[in-house]
Amino acid sequence: MEQNKKTYYITVAHGQISQSAADSPWDFKIEATDNEIHTLREYFNQNYGTEWAGFWRAHVPFIEYHNDKSNDEYDSKIKKVYGLIYQLGDEEAKKHIENMGILNEEGQ
């Protein structure tokens, strides 16, 4: 059974997903099912936890940024966020993400 897609407006920096374009500024417009939005919300929630781990790591001067597992996890999850937005996004969203160069040729 195929689910109906709805329009959502995404703000990546704040992990915000809204069905209203007028409520707050947004970065990307997507068409997604409830399950797809649930997946995107999970990615945002996971990154929120990873951001806190990075915050605490930043206060430990002997751990270098490029050798920190939490930074690698954040980078991996943000690529998943952009990959999903790319798959579900309108043409403007796809072009913007392509110009960012964050994804490989397969869109992830």
Side-chain angles (χ1 to χ4, degrees):
M1 181 174 174
E2 190 172 318
Q3 295 183 19
N4 292 329
K5 292 195 175 215
K6 301 173 198 163
T7 301
Y8 293 91
Y9 301 90
I10 311 301
T11 307
V12 175
H14 301 291
Q16 187 174 20
I17 302 169
S18 176
Q19 285 189 283
S20 172
D23 286 348
S24 62
W26 49 273
D27 303 317
F28 302 103
K29 179 181 174 182
I30 66 171
E31 297 287 327
T33 65
D34 292 341
N35 288 340
E36 291 164 334
I37 287 301
H38 178 74
T39 299
L40 184 59
R41 170 60 45 219
E42 283 297 313
Y43 291 158
F44 281 139
N45 289 344
Q46 290 169 5
N47 255 2
Y48 179 75
T50 303
E51 285 175 339
W52 272 106
F55 170 80
W56 293 115
R57 190 247 3 119
H59 291 85
V60 180
F62 56 87
I63 299 176
E64 298 171 325
Y65 175 87
H66 61 281
N67 289 326
D68 183 29
K69 183 180 175 192
S70 66
N71 289 326
D72 294 339
E73 288 175 22
Y74 180 87
D75 291 347
S76 174
K77 288 181 180 105
I78 202 70
K79 285 181 181 181
K80 287 182 179 183
V81 166
Y82 280 110
L84 189 54
I85 292 171
Y86 184 86
Q87 290 174 2
L88 304 172
D90 61 7
E91 284 305 309
E92 186 176 340
K94 290 179 193 251
K95 286 180 185 177
H96 183 85
I97 293 171
E98 286 171 2
N99 289 335
M100 290 173 67
I102 194 169
L103 304 177
N104 63 23
E105 292 78 31
E106 292 85 36
Q108 298 219 339

